[in-house]
Every structure is written in C-alpha cells, then in structure tokens.
Amino acid sequence: GVEWWTLCLDTDADVGWHWDRDYVLEDSGVNLHPMLSTVTYLSALSEQPQVSTVALDVLSPSARDPLQPVSLSKKGAHCACTVVPPRPGRHLVFDGRYLHGAPPLPAAAAGAGAIVKRVTFLANIR
C-alpha cells in the first residue's frame, strides 16, 4: 500500500530529523518502516534560498529502545548523505529506513526576503 500526504511550508521552515514508520505500532516497541520514501517538489522556483531535503544512510533500529533511541554508526564511521534542493518536479526516492529531514537554513542564508511556500507531495510505499 501507499501512504501519501502534502506539505505546504514557508521556504525557511524546517522539517526535523526523523525516520518514517508506522506510528500506530509505536507503543508496541516495533519500528515498521516503508520500503521506499519519496519527496516530490511541486512549488515554483524562487530567488529566495529554500530548505533542501537531506537523507542519510543511517538506519533506524528495528525495535524502540528508550535507552538507545538512535542507531548511530560507530565512532569514526562514515555515512552517505544525499542533499536535494527544491526544484519543480524534482523527485527523490530513498530507502524508507533512512534518517532524513529538511534542516533549517543557516541564518546568513535565510535572509530577509519575501517568504514563499515550499510545496511537496510525499509518499511512503509499504
């Protein structure tokens, strides 16, 4: 099946780091992730800097452990990072177990220009 939704955020609004998962199962201690997660940009181009989507190949733990909520690589290990700036029609597909978000712009890049909307279509494929 497919779970889908849209987001319409100010260009400087961030989306916190997270893993997509079935939140209904959250209290059971199980993390069930989609096979694929997708982001499609729909909004028009803007001269104003916009927040990019970032995906890291940091896998979510399969079970929820309050003492160790994040499964980070060992010290000195590396992870792959994909950064996708918004462009109309641009489509990102990544492993649904990956840590991802749209971190905030640095203060210097955010500027004081007019705020426009960043519109995305998101789908998780189970």
Side-chain angles (χ1 to χ4, degrees):
V2 177
E3 171 190 32
W4 61 270
W5 65 102
T6 59
L7 283 179
C8 182
L9 301 171
D10 291 342
T11 51
D12 62 347
D14 66 292
V15 176
W17 292 103
H18 66 282
W19 286 282
D20 291 339
R21 64 179 185 261
D22 188 333
Y23 292 100
V24 172
L25 296 176
E26 194 165 31
D27 291 337
S28 71
V30 174
N31 283 335
L32 182 62
H33 303 282
M35 181 173 49
L36 297 172
S37 294
T38 72
V39 178
T40 305
Y41 292 105
L42 303 175
S43 50
L45 285 174
S46 167
E47 295 298 318
Q48 187 71 9
Q50 296 187 35
V51 174
S52 298
T53 301
V54 180
L56 305 175
D57 69 345
V58 175
L59 298 178
S60 169
S62 58
R64 295 182 54 83
D65 180 356
L67 299 176
Q68 192 171 10
V70 178
S71 177
L72 295 176
S73 304
K74 296 188 185 319
K75 186 176 180 179
H78 300 277
C79 70
C81 174
T82 302
V83 179
V84 181
R87 296 281 184 273
R90 185 170 278 171
H91 183 68
L92 168 65
V93 178
F94 56 94
D95 187 316
R97 300 171 298 165
Y98 283 4
L99 181 64
H100 61 284
L105 293 169
I115 299 294
V116 295
K117 297 294 183 185
R118 184 180 80 241
V119 181
T120 54
F121 174 83
L122 305 112
N124 286 340
I125 302 165
R126 305 272 175 208

